[in-house]
Structure formats: C-alpha cells, structure tokens
Coordinates of all heavy atoms in Angstrom, one line a residue:
M5 N -8.8 75.6 49.1 CA -8.9 74.7 48.0 C -9.8 75.2 46.9 O -10.8 75.8 47.2 CB -9.5 73.3 48.5 CG -8.6 72.6 49.5 SD -7.1 72.0 48.8 CE -7.6 70.3 48.3
K6 N -9.4 74.9 45.7 CA -10.2 75.3 44.5 C -10.8 74.0 43.9 O -10.3 73.0 44.1 CB -9.4 76.1 43.5 CG -9.2 77.5 43.9 CD -8.7 78.3 42.7 CE -9.9 78.6 41.7 NZ -9.5 79.5 40.6
Q7 N -11.8 74.2 43.1 CA -12.5 73.1 42.5 C -12.6 73.4 41.0 O -13.0 74.5 40.6 CB -13.8 72.8 43.1 CG -14.5 71.5 42.6 CD -15.8 71.2 43.4 OE1 -15.7 71.0 44.6 NE2 -16.9 71.2 42.7
V8 N -12.3 72.4 40.2 CA -12.5 72.5 38.7 C -13.1 71.2 38.2 O -12.9 70.2 38.7 CB -11.1 72.8 38.0 CG1 -10.2 71.6 38.2 CG2 -11.3 73.1 36.6
T9 N -14.0 71.4 37.2 CA -14.6 70.3 36.5 C -14.1 70.2 35.1 O -14.2 71.2 34.4 CB -16.2 70.4 36.6 OG1 -16.6 70.4 37.9 CG2 -16.8 69.2 35.9
I10 N -13.6 69.1 34.7 CA -13.0 68.9 33.4 C -13.8 67.9 32.6 O -14.1 66.8 33.1 CB -11.5 68.5 33.6 CG1 -10.7 69.6 34.3 CG2 -10.9 68.2 32.2 CD1 -9.4 69.1 34.8
N11 N -14.0 68.2 31.3 CA -14.7 67.2 30.5 C -13.7 66.2 29.9 O -12.7 66.7 29.3 CB -15.4 67.9 29.3 CG -16.6 68.7 29.9 OD1 -17.5 68.2 30.5 ND2 -16.5 70.0 29.6
V12 N -13.9 64.9 30.1 CA -12.9 63.9 29.6 C -13.6 62.9 28.8 O -14.7 62.4 29.1 CB -12.3 63.2 30.9 CG1 -11.3 62.2 30.5 CG2 -11.6 64.3 31.8
E13 N -12.9 62.6 27.6 CA -13.4 61.6 26.7 C -12.8 60.3 26.9 O -11.6 60.2 27.3 CB -13.1 62.1 25.3 CG -14.0 61.7 24.2 CD -15.4 61.9 24.4 OE1 -15.8 63.1 24.5 OE2 -16.2 61.0 24.6
G14 N -13.6 59.2 26.8 CA -13.0 57.9 26.8 C -13.2 57.1 28.1 O -12.7 56.0 28.2
M15 N -13.8 57.7 29.1 CA -14.0 57.0 30.4 C -15.3 56.2 30.2 O -16.3 56.7 29.9 CB -14.2 58.0 31.5 CG -13.1 59.0 31.7 SD -13.3 60.0 33.2 CE -14.8 60.9 32.8
S16 N -15.2 54.9 30.6 CA -16.4 54.0 30.3 C -16.7 53.1 31.5 O -17.8 52.6 31.5 CB -16.2 53.2 29.0 OG -15.0 52.4 29.2
C17 N -15.8 52.8 32.3 CA -16.1 51.8 33.4 C -15.4 52.1 34.7 O -14.6 53.1 34.8 CB -15.7 50.4 32.9 SG -13.9 50.2 32.7
N18 N -15.6 51.2 35.6 CA -15.0 51.5 36.9 C -13.4 51.4 36.9 O -12.8 52.0 37.8 CB -15.5 50.4 38.0 CG -16.9 50.8 38.4 OD1 -17.2 52.0 38.5 ND2 -17.7 49.8 38.8
H19 N -12.9 50.7 35.9 CA -11.4 50.7 35.8 C -10.9 52.1 35.5 O -9.9 52.6 36.0 CB -11.0 49.7 34.8 CG -9.5 49.8 34.5 ND1 -8.6 49.2 35.3 CD2 -8.8 50.4 33.5 CE1 -7.4 49.4 34.8 NE2 -7.5 50.1 33.7
C20 N -11.6 52.8 34.6 CA -11.3 54.1 34.2 C -11.4 55.0 35.4 O -10.5 55.9 35.7 CB -12.2 54.7 33.1 SG -12.3 53.7 31.6
V21 N -12.5 54.9 36.2 CA -12.7 55.7 37.4 C -11.5 55.5 38.3 O -10.9 56.5 38.8 CB -14.0 55.3 38.1 CG1 -14.1 56.0 39.4 CG2 -15.2 55.6 37.2
S22 N -11.1 54.3 38.6 CA -10.1 54.1 39.6 C -8.7 54.5 39.1 O -7.9 55.0 39.9 CB -10.1 52.6 40.1 OG -9.9 51.7 39.1
S23 N -8.4 54.3 37.8 CA -7.1 54.8 37.3 C -7.0 56.3 37.4 O -6.0 56.8 37.7 CB -6.8 54.2 35.9 OG -7.8 54.5 35.0
I24 N -8.1 57.0 37.0 CA -8.0 58.4 37.0 C -8.0 59.0 38.5 O -7.1 59.8 38.9 CB -9.2 59.1 36.2 CG1 -8.9 58.8 34.8 CG2 -9.3 60.6 36.5 CD1 -10.1 59.3 33.9
E25 N -8.9 58.4 39.3 CA -8.9 58.9 40.7 C -7.7 58.5 41.4 O -7.2 59.3 42.2 CB -10.2 58.4 41.4 CG -11.5 59.0 40.9 CD -12.7 58.5 41.6 OE1 -12.7 57.6 42.4 OE2 -13.8 59.1 41.3
G26 N -7.1 57.4 41.1 CA -5.9 56.9 41.7 C -4.7 57.8 41.3 O -3.9 58.2 42.2
A27 N -4.6 58.2 40.0 CA -3.5 59.0 39.6 C -3.6 60.4 40.2 O -2.6 61.0 40.5 CB -3.6 59.1 38.0
L28 N -4.8 60.9 40.3 CA -5.0 62.2 40.9 C -4.6 62.2 42.4 O -3.9 63.1 42.9 CB -6.4 62.7 40.7 CG -6.8 63.1 39.3 CD1 -8.3 63.3 39.2 CD2 -6.1 64.3 38.9
K29 N -4.9 61.1 43.0 CA -4.6 61.0 44.4 C -3.1 60.9 44.6 O -2.5 61.5 45.5 CB -5.3 59.7 45.0 CG -5.3 59.6 46.5 CD -6.1 58.4 47.0 CE -6.1 58.3 48.5 NZ -6.7 57.1 49.0
N30 N -2.4 60.1 43.8 CA -1.0 60.0 43.8 C -0.3 61.4 43.6 O 0.8 61.6 44.1 CB -0.4 59.1 42.8 CG -0.7 57.6 43.1 OD1 -1.0 57.3 44.3 ND2 -0.7 56.7 42.1
A31 N -1.0 62.2 42.9 CA -0.4 63.6 42.6 C -0.8 64.6 43.7 O -0.6 65.8 43.5 CB -0.9 64.0 41.2
G32 N -1.5 64.1 44.7 CA -1.9 65.0 45.8 C -3.2 65.7 45.6 O -3.4 66.7 46.3
M33 N -4.0 65.3 44.7 CA -5.3 65.9 44.5 C -6.4 65.0 44.8 O -6.3 63.8 44.9 CB -5.4 66.3 43.0 CG -4.3 67.1 42.5 SD -4.4 67.2 40.7 CE -2.6 67.0 40.2
S34 N -7.6 65.6 44.9 CA -8.8 64.7 45.2 C -9.7 64.8 44.1 O -10.3 65.9 43.8 CB -9.4 65.2 46.5 OG -10.7 64.6 46.7
G35 N -9.9 63.7 43.3 CA -10.7 63.8 42.1 C -11.9 62.9 42.2 O -11.9 61.8 42.9
K36 N -13.0 63.3 41.5 CA -14.2 62.5 41.5 C -14.7 62.4 40.0 O -14.9 63.4 39.4 CB -15.3 63.2 42.3 CG -16.6 62.4 42.5 CD -16.6 61.5 43.7 CE -17.8 60.6 43.7 NZ -17.8 59.5 42.6
V37 N -14.8 61.1 39.5 CA -15.2 60.9 38.2 C -16.7 60.7 38.1 O -17.2 59.9 38.9 CB -14.5 59.6 37.6 CG1 -15.0 59.3 36.2 CG2 -13.0 59.8 37.5
D38 N -17.3 61.3 37.2 CA -18.8 61.1 36.9 C -18.9 60.5 35.5 O -18.7 61.2 34.5 CB -19.5 62.4 37.0 CG -21.1 62.2 36.9 OD1 -21.5 61.2 36.2 OD2 -21.8 62.9 37.5
L39 N -19.2 59.2 35.4 CA -19.2 58.6 34.1 C -20.4 59.1 33.3 O -20.3 59.2 32.0 CB -19.3 57.1 34.2 CG -18.1 56.3 34.7 CD1 -18.4 54.8 34.8 CD2 -16.9 56.5 33.8
D40 N -21.5 59.4 33.9 CA -22.7 59.8 33.2 C -22.5 61.2 32.4 O -22.8 61.3 31.3 CB -23.9 60.0 34.1 CG -24.4 58.6 34.7 OD1 -24.2 57.6 33.9 OD2 -24.9 58.6 35.8
S41 N -21.9 62.1 33.1 CA -21.6 63.4 32.5 C -20.2 63.5 31.9 O -19.9 64.5 31.3 CB -21.8 64.5 33.5 OG -20.9 64.4 34.6
K42 N -19.5 62.4 32.0 CA -18.1 62.4 31.4 C -17.3 63.5 31.9 O -16.6 64.3 31.1 CB -18.1 62.4 29.9 CG -18.8 61.1 29.3 CD -18.8 61.2 27.8 CE -19.4 59.9 27.2 NZ -19.6 60.1 25.7
T43 N -17.3 63.7 33.2 CA -16.5 64.8 33.8 C -15.7 64.3 35.0 O -16.0 63.2 35.6 CB -17.4 65.9 34.3 OG1 -18.4 65.4 35.3 CG2 -18.2 66.6 33.2
V44 N -14.6 65.0 35.2 CA -13.8 64.7 36.4 C -13.8 66.1 37.2 O -13.4 67.1 36.7 CB -12.4 64.3 36.1 CG1 -11.6 64.1 37.4 CG2 -12.4 63.1 35.2
T45 N -14.3 66.0 38.5 CA -14.2 67.2 39.3 C -13.1 67.0 40.3 O -13.0 66.0 41.0 CB -15.6 67.3 40.1 OG1 -16.6 67.4 39.1 CG2 -15.6 68.6 41.0
V46 N -12.2 68.0 40.3 CA -11.0 67.9 41.1 C -10.9 69.0 42.1 O -11.1 70.2 41.8 CB -9.7 67.9 40.2 CG1 -8.5 67.7 41.1 CG2 -9.8 66.8 39.2
E47 N -10.6 68.7 43.4 CA -10.3 69.7 44.4 C -8.8 69.8 44.5 O -8.1 68.7 44.6 CB -10.9 69.3 45.7 CG -12.3 69.7 45.8 CD -12.9 69.5 47.3 OE1 -12.0 69.4 48.2 OE2 -14.1 69.4 47.4
Y48 N -8.3 71.0 44.4 CA -6.8 71.1 44.4 C -6.4 72.4 45.2 O -7.2 73.3 45.3 CB -6.3 71.1 43.0 CG -6.7 72.3 42.2 CD1 -5.8 73.3 41.9 CD2 -8.0 72.3 41.6 CE1 -6.2 74.4 41.2 CE2 -8.4 73.4 40.9 CZ -7.5 74.4 40.6 OH -7.8 75.5 39.9
D49 N -5.1 72.4 45.5 CA -4.5 73.5 46.2 C -3.8 74.4 45.2 O -2.9 73.9 44.5 CB -3.5 73.0 47.3 CG -2.9 74.2 48.0 OD1 -3.0 75.3 47.6 OD2 -2.3 73.9 49.1
E50 N -4.4 75.6 44.9 CA -3.8 76.3 43.8 C -2.4 76.8 44.1 O -1.7 77.3 43.1 CB -4.7 77.5 43.4 CG -5.1 78.4 44.6 CD -6.1 79.5 44.2 OE1 -6.1 79.8 43.0 OE2 -6.9 79.9 45.0
A51 N -1.9 76.7 45.3 CA -0.5 77.1 45.6 C 0.4 76.0 45.1 O 1.6 76.2 44.9 CB -0.4 77.3 47.1
K52 N -0.1 74.7 44.9 CA 0.7 73.6 44.6 C 0.4 73.1 43.2 O 1.3 72.4 42.6 CB 0.5 72.4 45.5 CG 0.9 72.7 47.0 CD 0.6 71.5 47.8 CE 0.9 71.7 49.3 NZ 0.2 70.7 50.1
T53 N -0.8 73.3 42.7 CA -1.2 72.6 41.5 C -1.9 73.6 40.5 O -2.6 74.5 41.0 CB -2.2 71.5 41.8 OG1 -1.7 70.7 42.9 CG2 -2.5 70.6 40.6
T54 N -1.7 73.4 39.2 CA -2.4 74.2 38.2 C -3.4 73.3 37.5 O -3.3 72.0 37.5 CB -1.4 74.7 37.2 OG1 -0.8 73.7 36.5 CG2 -0.3 75.6 37.8
V55 N -4.3 73.9 36.8 CA -5.3 73.1 36.1 C -4.6 72.3 35.0 O -4.9 71.2 34.6 CB -6.4 74.1 35.5 CG1 -7.3 73.3 34.5 CG2 -7.2 74.7 36.6
E56 N -3.5 72.9 34.4 CA -2.7 72.3 33.4 C -2.2 70.9 33.9 O -2.2 69.9 33.2 CB -1.6 73.1 32.9 CG -2.0 74.1 31.7 CD -2.7 73.4 30.6 OE1 -2.3 72.3 30.1 OE2 -3.9 73.8 30.3
Q57 N -1.7 71.0 35.1 CA -1.1 69.7 35.7 C -2.2 68.7 35.9 O -1.9 67.5 35.7 CB -0.4 70.1 37.1 CG 0.9 70.8 36.9 CD 1.5 71.2 38.3 OE1 0.8 71.8 39.0 NE2 2.7 70.8 38.5
I58 N -3.4 69.1 36.3 CA -4.5 68.2 36.5 C -4.8 67.5 35.1 O -4.9 66.3 35.0 CB -5.7 68.9 37.0 CG1 -5.4 69.5 38.4 CG2 -6.9 68.0 37.1 CD1 -6.5 70.4 39.0
K59 N -4.9 68.3 34.1 CA -5.2 67.8 32.8 C -4.1 66.8 32.3 O -4.4 65.8 31.7 CB -5.3 69.0 31.8 CG -6.6 69.8 32.0 CD -6.7 70.9 31.0 CE -8.0 71.7 31.2 NZ -8.1 72.8 30.3
E60 N -2.9 67.2 32.6 CA -1.8 66.3 32.2 C -1.9 65.0 32.9 O -1.6 63.9 32.3 CB -0.4 66.9 32.5 CG 0.0 67.9 31.4 CD 1.3 68.7 31.8 OE1 2.1 68.2 32.6 OE2 1.5 69.8 31.3
T61 N -2.2 65.0 34.2 CA -2.3 63.8 35.0 C -3.4 62.9 34.4 O -3.2 61.7 34.3 CB -2.7 64.1 36.4 OG1 -1.6 65.0 37.0 CG2 -2.8 62.9 37.3
I62 N -4.5 63.5 34.0 CA -5.6 62.7 33.3 C -5.1 62.1 32.0 O -5.3 61.0 31.7 CB -6.8 63.5 33.2 CG1 -7.4 63.9 34.6 CG2 -7.9 62.8 32.4 CD1 -8.5 64.9 34.7
E63 N -4.5 63.0 31.2 CA -4.0 62.6 29.9 C -3.0 61.5 29.9 O -3.0 60.5 29.1 CB -3.5 63.8 29.1 CG -4.6 64.7 28.6 CD -4.0 65.9 27.9 OE1 -2.9 66.4 28.3 OE2 -4.7 66.5 27.1
E64 N -2.1 61.5 31.0 CA -1.1 60.5 31.1 C -1.7 59.1 31.3 O -1.1 58.1 31.1 CB -0.2 60.8 32.3 CG 0.9 61.8 32.0 CD 1.6 62.4 33.2 OE1 1.3 61.9 34.3 OE2 2.3 63.3 33.0
Q65 N -3.0 59.1 31.8 CA -3.7 57.8 32.0 C -4.3 57.3 30.7 O -4.9 56.2 30.7 CB -4.8 57.9 33.1 CG -4.2 58.3 34.5 CD -3.2 57.2 34.9 OE1 -3.5 56.0 34.9 NE2 -2.0 57.7 35.3
G66 N -4.2 58.1 29.7 CA -4.7 57.6 28.4 C -6.1 58.2 28.0 O -6.7 57.7 27.1
Y67 N -6.5 59.3 28.6 CA -7.8 59.9 28.3 C -7.6 61.2 27.7 O -6.6 61.9 27.9 CB -8.6 59.9 29.6 CG -8.8 58.6 30.2 CD1 -8.0 58.2 31.2 CD2 -9.7 57.7 29.7 CE1 -8.1 56.9 31.8 CE2 -9.9 56.4 30.2 CZ -9.1 56.0 31.3 OH -9.2 54.8 31.8
D68 N -8.6 61.6 26.9 CA -8.5 62.9 26.2 C -9.3 63.9 26.9 O -10.5 63.7 27.2 CB -9.0 62.7 24.8 CG -8.1 61.9 23.9 OD1 -6.8 62.0 24.1 OD2 -8.6 61.1 23.1
I69 N -8.7 65.1 27.1 CA -9.5 66.2 27.6 C -10.2 66.9 26.4 O -9.7 67.1 25.4 CB -8.5 67.3 28.2 CG1 -7.5 66.7 29.2 CG2 -9.2 68.5 28.8 CD1 -8.2 66.1 30.4
V70 N -11.5 67.2 26.7 CA -12.3 67.7 25.6 C -12.1 69.2 25.6 O -12.1 69.9 26.6 CB -13.8 67.4 25.9 CG1 -14.7 68.1 24.8 CG2 -14.1 66.0 25.9
Ligands
CU6 CU1 -12.8 51.7 31.8

C-alpha cells in the first residue's frame, strides 16, 4: 500500500469529512480527512489506483484540489 496526502480546499465540517471518506471507501481506498490542515491522507493500492483517480474522487464530491 502507498500513502499520499492531498491538500483540499472547501472542507469545513463533519459532513465534508464523511462525504469524502465515504466516497473514497466506495472507490476501494482508505482516506482520512484532517480539517485543521485541510488535507486528505489516502492509503491506496498502486496496482489498482492512481493519485489522479483519488483526486477525481474528491473533486466529484465538490471539493477543489489545491
Ligand atoms: Cu461540511
């Protein structure tokens, strides 16, 4: 498993946390949102997932990648 930390703009509350973490989970990844540092740390299998796909998954929820 690899790990990547992505800076994300627009996350402000627990709803944001659960929509992003839920979307990542549905896509087969394990994500952790940190509202204080405005980051999402994702563990993923590089054989199945690219960083681009992770970013798209977050953007599809309505958040901007910095
Ligand atoms: Cu929110």
Side-chain angles (χ1 to χ4, degrees):
M5 295 292 267
K6 283 196 76 174
Q7 186 172 302
V8 64
T9 299
I10 298 168
N11 294 302
V12 180
E13 206 53 65
M15 304 185 298
S16 58
C17 67
N18 282 330
H19 174 77
C20 303
V21 173
S22 55
S23 55
I24 290 176
E25 289 183 353
L28 291 168
K29 195 175 178 187
N30 286 341
M33 309 166 218
S34 171
K36 184 89 185 70
V37 174
D38 186 332
L39 288 178
D40 291 330
S41 61
K42 295 181 178 171
T43 57
V44 181
T45 301
V46 183
E47 279 189 17
Y48 65 102
D49 183 343
E50 54 185 332
K52 293 178 187 165
T53 309
T54 64
V55 173
E56 272 314 305
Q57 286 176 307
I58 296 169
K59 290 179 177 178
E60 279 172 24
T61 301
I62 295 170
E63 284 175 333
E64 279 166 9
Q65 297 303 309
Y67 302 96
D68 292 322
I69 307 296
V70 179

